[in-house]
Amino acid sequence: MTKTSLFPRWTVAAPLVAWALLAGVLLGLGGSVYAAVLMAGLLWSVFAGVHHAEVVAHRVGEPFGSLVLAVAVTIIEVALIVSLMVAGGPDASGLARDTVFAAVMIILNAIVGLCLLEGGVLHKEQAFRADGVRAALTTLVAISVLTLILPNYTTSVPGPVYSKAQLVFIAIVSAILYGTFLLVQNVRHRRYFLAEGDGAGADVHVAPPSTRGAFFAAGLLLGCLGAVVLLAKALAPTLEAVTEAIGAPTSFVGVIIAAIVLLPEGTAAVRAAHCNRLQTSLNLALGSALASIGLTIPAVALVSLITGMPLALGIDMKATVLFILSLFVSVLSLGTGRTTILQGAVLLVIFGVYVLTAIIP
């Protein structure tokens, strides 16, 4: 974002081009060359979406600004999961679990790890408000265990699924926990999520956009995010073919799609760390992880209860070990209010192991 132009031409053109490419899919265009064009359009939309999210965030300020991209992407993610669940039927019972698990692992290890490594390399040591991060991690650990691990150990229905009564209760609890976190973040203890002297980045002294400009950016952001998800869905058959060619399980497609959908948040978070605004990076990353579980699980649970489709939530033992390791290391790494390159390196190594075991179980 610059003083001279809040809306460079390439950022306005991105959603228009992306939706034109989607129209080509509906008209029957295909093949490997067109798939490559679709991928280029997808990445273009991703980076344009990051720009528009930053415009909106600059208008509303922190910590509300960090919620903009997280909630927008999560709503689109929920729409994608639900549409694929309906289309896939019983065979898609584990789709929500695989996508949510992949999203949280990518956020905790890849995005946070890159932010800490980038910030450590450029600024040696970075500080943030530990109170806010602890609140986010406490909520994340609770929701994660209740939704992704506990279903393997209940006995009313053979795991990894909940009974209807259990599923309703867990969905309500997830929504309550996420709603309470939002109340703490944005109302009751807002200062926990604001860095002292926040605004070391270059954009701090740029005048916020007008309300009209912010609404225009929000519309472009939604257009970009919608195009990203639909383009990812259109590329799913190609991704499945690539996955099969490298010998990975079909669930790895969910990892790839989750990575693409999370790219706007990841890019924005790393850019904030680059500008020595680690508090903003962590607000984005941890808020996205919480939104991914706290909004997605209640939504897919509602779809499952209405349609009668099975919903498998429990992750397997290998995934459980990596998940608990990720949560444990995150709590230790972010518990002091200061970070160096070491914490970033450890988290990135865990992510590498996760990707390896996802491809070679």
Side-chain angles (χ1 to χ4, degrees), residues 108-109 112-114 116-117 120 124-126 128 329-330 332-350:
L108 284 182
N109 297 302
V112 173
L114 282 173
L116 300 187
L117 188 64
K124 294 187 178 180
E125 186 178 76
Q126 289 184 296
F128 57 90
V329 172
S330 296
L332 292 179
S333 299
L334 302 176
T336 63
R338 291 187 176 276
T339 61
T340 65
I341 60 172
L342 178 60
Q343 291 96 329
V346 172
L347 290 172
L348 288 172
V349 166
I350 295 174

Side-chain angles (χ1 to χ4, degrees), residues 192-234:
Y192 290 173
F193 302 87
L194 297 174
E196 297 179 3
D198 188 19
D203 293 340
V204 170
H205 301 294
V206 179
S210 64
T211 301
R212 181 178 179 182
F215 275 111
F216 182 58
L220 291 172
L221 171 62
L222 292 177
C224 288
L225 291 176
V228 165
V229 171
L230 293 177
L231 285 171
K233 184 176 179 180

Side-chain angles (χ1 to χ4, degrees), residues 13 20 23 56 65 91 154 166 215 238 277 286 298 320 334:
V56 177
D91 293 336
T154 55
Q166 291 170 337
F215 275 111
T238 302
R277 293 186 285 121
L286 297 180
T320 299
L334 302 176

Side-chain angles (χ1 to χ4, degrees), residues 117-126 272-277 339:
L117 188 64
E118 173 82 1
V121 168
L122 293 177
H123 309 289
K124 294 187 178 180
E125 186 178 76
Q126 289 184 296
H274 179 88
C275 297
N276 201 21
R277 293 186 285 121
T339 61

Side-chain angles (χ1 to χ4, degrees), residues 13 48 164 212 230 241 278 284 299 313 321-322 325 329 341 343-344 359:
K164 288 185 178 180
R212 181 178 179 182
L230 293 177
L278 186 60
L284 274 170
L313 288 179
V321 171
L322 285 174
L325 177 62
V329 172
I341 60 172
Q343 291 96 329
I359 298 174

Side-chain angles (χ1 to χ4, degrees), residues 22 25 38 42 79-87 226-240 253 257 260-261:
L22 287 169
V25 173
L38 291 179
L42 186 151
L80 176 59
I81 292 174
V82 170
S83 65
L84 293 177
M85 282 179 63
V86 173
V228 165
V229 171
L230 293 177
L231 285 171
K233 184 176 179 180
L235 286 167
T238 302
L239 296 177
E240 290 175 359
V253 175
I257 294 178
I260 293 172
V261 173

Side-chain angles (χ1 to χ4, degrees), residues 92-114:
S93 63
L95 177 63
R97 171 200 61 202
D98 295 337
T99 305
V100 168
F101 176 61
V104 175
M105 290 295 286
I106 290 169
I107 291 168
L108 284 182
N109 297 302
I111 295 178
V112 173
L114 282 173

